[in-house]
Amino acid sequence: MSLNSTYFSPPAKTTDTHCDKVQESRMSQDSPQNESECGPSRRASREWWLHVSLLCIPLLAVYLHIPPPQLSPALNTWRASGHFFTFRGNNIFYKESVGVVGSSDVLLLLHGFPTSSYDWYKIWDSLTQRFNRVIALDFLGFGFSDKPRPHRYSIFEQASVVEALIAHLGLSEQRINLLSHDYGDTVALELLYRSDHNRNGHVTINSLCLSNGGIFPETHYPRFLQKVLKDSGFISPVLTRLVNYQLFSRGIRDVFGPYTQPTEAEFWDMWTGIRFNDGNLVMDSVLQYINQRMKHRERWVGALTSSSTPLHMIYGPLDPVNPHPQFIQLYQKLVQRSTVSVLDEHVSHYPQLEDPTGFINAYLSFINSF
């Protein structure tokens, strides 16, 4: 036995392709016919993949630049009834209604992520029957407001947007009642901190009512898509373009109760508000608020636990983002001066949309108690 055949022979293949067999036959028989059999086959395969690639590239390009859906009549009406003011070169949308004559009470509504001021439409008329002025805004990066990019979105900036709106409306000397939800809860806590520390230009807060917001990082469970978008670094801009209505609606359905689901039209209104002005492309930047909550927990939770402002919490207990009973038990332990309204057990993360009657009754009971 030769040394070469013993130690340097290549391992035997367990399978042979047709072209390998033809190659072996060609080497042993020197047949011109066999030599030409695989060439056309390989060329045809390469051409097929080339055609598929050339077809996929424009399709992907079209997919990533799908135009936003048209505003529904309801959203058109909401937008037409609002106004804009300018904050640091950006247009901020807000809506204001004058309600009860003779009252001086002002209510400011702060919406959650990833939606807009339209979250309050189901209880808007009821609120105008109690307050002289009811005001809601779309935060920077949300709804009908501008959505600059690249931009470092922060809770601190959103609080400054609110302060600028109050100044714009000539309400700097007025005591303001705040009603907030989700993302808006954290903005409200920054406003509360500034108010209690007499920061320049602060909003003077008369009362604060929170609802289903992740104000405690230790009891907050962001949705999978939120975690992916906020932590994917340089890949996030690609992922934001891949988020479509199907992915959005699947995720948002999970934070509504099984018996309190929005209609398909309402889901589309939420998605339309996100897509307006390419808002889907800034979601990764806006989502940094979750990290900001952890970083500034002492500041914001500290403001909540030390404030002498009348406080209330309206809570939908089926919320998977701020689950029961961990969230409400921690809230009651840390914020002992606050009153709490726990709604029906079927109500989840959007109580003002899922149970508008229960929500408005709970809020009016609180606001009329002092």
Side-chain angles (χ1 to χ4, degrees):
M1 182 181 293
S2 70
L3 183 64
N4 286 343
S5 63
T6 303
Y7 295 101
F8 295 95
S9 58
K13 294 183 179 178
T14 57
T15 60
D16 290 319
T17 65
H18 168 71
C19 291
D20 290 332
K21 293 177 179 178
V22 172
Q23 177 71 9
E24 291 173 1
S25 175
R26 183 175 69 247
M27 292 176 66
S28 61
Q29 301 176 18
D30 293 325
S31 168
Q33 180 178 358
N34 287 336
E35 188 175 273
S36 61
E37 280 186 24
C38 283
S41 176
R42 286 174 173 166
R43 283 195 298 272
S45 178
R46 286 196 299 268
E47 289 175 1
W48 185 85
W49 280 109
L50 180 61
H51 291 156
V52 169
S53 300
L54 290 175
L55 179 63
C56 286
I57 289 173
L59 288 177
L60 183 61
V62 170
Y63 174 73
L64 294 179
H65 293 85
I66 294 176
Q70 295 295 312
L71 298 183
S72 68
L75 280 183
N76 256 322
T77 300
W78 188 265
R79 184 170 186 260
S81 65
H83 310 275
F84 291 87
F85 80 102
T86 302
F87 174 81
R88 298 175 184 172
N90 293 298
N91 292 319
I92 304 297
F93 173 85
Y94 70 95
K95 178 179 169 66
E96 178 184 19
S97 290
V98 176
V100 178
V101 176
S103 170
S104 60
D105 292 344
V106 178
L107 175 63
L108 178 62
L109 307 170
L110 306 176
H111 68 82
F113 176 92
T115 44
S116 69
S117 59
Y118 193 63
D119 285 354
W120 305 107
Y121 82 97
K122 286 188 177 181
I123 61 172
W124 189 267
D125 289 342
S126 296
L127 293 172
T128 61
Q129 295 172 20
R130 168 60 178 81
F131 293 91
N132 175 250
R133 297 173 77 171
V134 179
I135 305 159
L137 81 160
D138 290 348
F139 290 122
L140 186 69
F142 293 79
F144 298 126
S145 292
D146 283 352
K147 299 166 180 178
R149 67 179 198 277
H151 186 83
R152 286 192 172 188
Y153 291 88
S154 77
I155 295 297
F156 298 101
E157 182 180 44
Q158 304 289 19
S160 296
V161 170
V162 174
E163 291 173 339
L165 173 60
I166 293 301
H168 172 77
L169 294 174
L171 296 172
S172 297
E173 303 302 320
Q174 178 77 41
R175 298 184 66 82
I176 308 295
N177 298 286
L178 295 181
L179 174 56
S180 61
H181 172 243
D182 186 62
Y183 181 89
D185 283 1
T186 306
V187 178
L189 294 185
E190 173 58 21
L191 291 168
L192 185 66
Y193 178 90
R194 296 182 186 187
S195 179
D196 287 347
H197 289 79
N198 294 315
R199 296 295 181 90
N200 290 335
H202 71 270
V203 174
T204 303
I205 300 175
N206 188 56
S207 70
L208 170 58
C209 179
L210 309 164
S211 62
N212 286 80
I215 54 180
F216 306 121
E218 57 268 44
T219 61
H220 180 237
Y221 297 87
R223 311 309 292 163
F224 174 74
L225 186 59
Q226 291 178 320
K227 291 188 286 187
V228 169
L229 288 176
K230 81 179 180 70
D231 293 330
S232 295
F234 67 93
I235 302 176
S236 292
V238 176
L239 297 178
T240 57
R241 289 185 176 275
L242 293 173
V243 176
N244 57 20
Y245 174 73
Q246 284 71 30
L247 284 173
F248 164 76
S249 60
R250 184 182 304 172
I252 202 76
R253 283 179 197 278
D254 291 342
V255 299
F256 282 82
Y259 306 111
T260 56
Q261 290 281 308
T263 64
E264 196 69 15
E266 289 170 332
F267 278 129
W268 271 107
D269 282 341
M270 293 179 188
W271 177 240
T272 301
I274 293 171
R275 286 299 316 275
F276 191 86
N277 285 342
D278 291 328
N280 56 308
L281 303 185
V282 303
M283 290 179 72
D284 57 326
S285 300
V286 173
L287 275 165
Q288 296 310 307
Y289 77 88
I290 296 175
N291 297 329
Q292 292 164 21
R293 278 175 172 170
M294 292 187 286
K295 182 178 180 180
H296 302 287
R297 182 192 186 281
E298 183 177 346
R299 177 187 180 98
W300 294 329
V301 175
L304 186 61
T305 57
S306 65
S307 180
S308 59
T309 299
L311 300 171
H312 191 67
M313 168 65 72
I314 300 177
Y315 178 62
L318 204 59
D319 186 357
V321 183
N322 309 285
H324 186 273
Q326 299 97 308
F327 171 81
I328 205 66
Q329 287 177 348
L330 182 59
Y331 182 86
Q332 292 176 312
K333 176 183 177 181
L334 296 181
V335 197
Q336 297 180 1
R337 291 188 58 261
S338 174
T339 52
V340 173
S341 296
V342 178
L343 301 183
D344 184 89
E345 63 182 3
H346 299 300
V347 178
S348 187
H349 184 68
Y350 278 87
Q352 76 276 33
L353 293 175
E354 299 177 65
D355 184 12
T357 300
F359 188 95
I360 198 70
N361 288 341
Y363 181 64
L364 293 181
S365 177
F366 160 66
I367 207 71
N368 292 330
S369 67
F370 59 91

